[in-house]
């Protein structure tokens, strides 16, 4: 499915709509990958998902620390939002320092993963794939797989 998004409020509304559609995986962490060039809005999409799902902390880009973890309020199906940004990585084996395999075994984790193409050699099949493309007029095309 593809959607053309023309404004920031539309973009945030689409991220909120997507957040409401996330279903917890019974076989490990729920993995959502986000692909797109620098500045296309991957982190903004993640921030909106986090907000809609009840994360109380301010979500920031994990580019320099690779991973940030945020707790969900009690009563949610997920306990943790794990936000990973693989932009600075070259190989999937570099995820080992994050305890990535263990993170992916926990059904209570929602993992939002930016730049999955950088480490595709070790990523499991995601629950959802999101691709963001910036168009010349400033709008965005969002594709879901």
């Amino acid at each position: 499915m593809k959607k053309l998004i023309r404004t920031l409020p539309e973009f945030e509304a689409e991220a909120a709509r997507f957040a409401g559609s996330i279903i917890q995986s019974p076989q490990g962490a729920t993995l959502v990958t986000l692909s797109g060039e620098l500045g296309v809005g991957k982190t903004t999409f993640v921030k909106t998902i986090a907000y809609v799902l009840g994360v109380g902390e301010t979500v920031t880009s994990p580019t320099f620390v690779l991973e940030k973890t945020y707790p969900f309020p009690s009563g949610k199906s997920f306990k943790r939002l794990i936000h990973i940004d693989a932009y600075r990585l070259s190989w999937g084996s570099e995820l080992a320092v994050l305890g990535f395999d263990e993170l992916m075994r926990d059904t209570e984790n929602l993992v939002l993963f930016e730049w999955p193409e950088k480490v595709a050699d070790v990523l499991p099949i995601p629950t959802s794939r999101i691709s963001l493309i910036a168009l010349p007029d400033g709008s965005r095309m969002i594709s879901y797989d």
Side-chain angles (χ1 to χ4, degrees):
M1 174 175 70
K2 291 184 178 186
K3 287 194 172 189
L4 178 64
I5 307 296
R6 298 185 193 287
T7 66
L8 181 59
E10 282 180 30
F11 188 78
E12 291 171 338
E14 179 57 26
R17 184 210 61 78
F18 177 78
S21 74
I22 297 172
I23 298 171
Q24 189 172 10
S25 171
Q27 299 159 341
T30 300
L31 175 63
V32 176
T33 59
L34 297 102
S35 298
E37 296 299 320
L38 281 171
V40 76
K42 294 179 297 297
T43 300
T44 298
F45 206 85
V46 169
K47 286 179 180 186
T48 302
I49 291 171
Y51 176 78
V52 167
L53 294 180
V55 170
E57 296 178 47
T58 300
V59 173
T60 58
S61 175
T63 300
F64 295 103
V65 294
L66 303 180
E67 171 196 329
K68 290 189 177 181
T69 301
Y70 304 93
F72 283 111
S74 61
K76 298 285 186 175
S77 56
F78 295 109
K79 289 203 175 171
R80 287 165 296 284
L81 169 70
I82 313 292
H83 184 194
I84 297 174
D85 185 327
Y87 179 74
R88 295 179 33 235
L89 302 182
S90 300
W91 307 103
S93 60
E94 294 174 282
L95 289 172
V97 299
L98 303 177
F100 186 71
D101 290 339
E102 184 178 333
L103 290 174
M104 292 307 300
R105 283 192 290 271
D106 190 337
T107 60
E108 295 179 328
N109 288 339
L110 171 59
V111 180
L112 302 179
F113 200 108
E114 297 185 39
W115 298 96
E117 56 279 358
K118 297 274 191 169
V119 294
D121 59 316
V122 299
L123 282 185
I125 296 171
T127 306
S128 298
R129 289 183 185 100
I130 300 171
S131 178
L132 303 167
I133 298 171
L135 301 174
D137 65 358
S139 61
R140 301 288 190 264
M141 180 64 69
I142 300 177
S143 301
Y144 300 95
D145 290 330

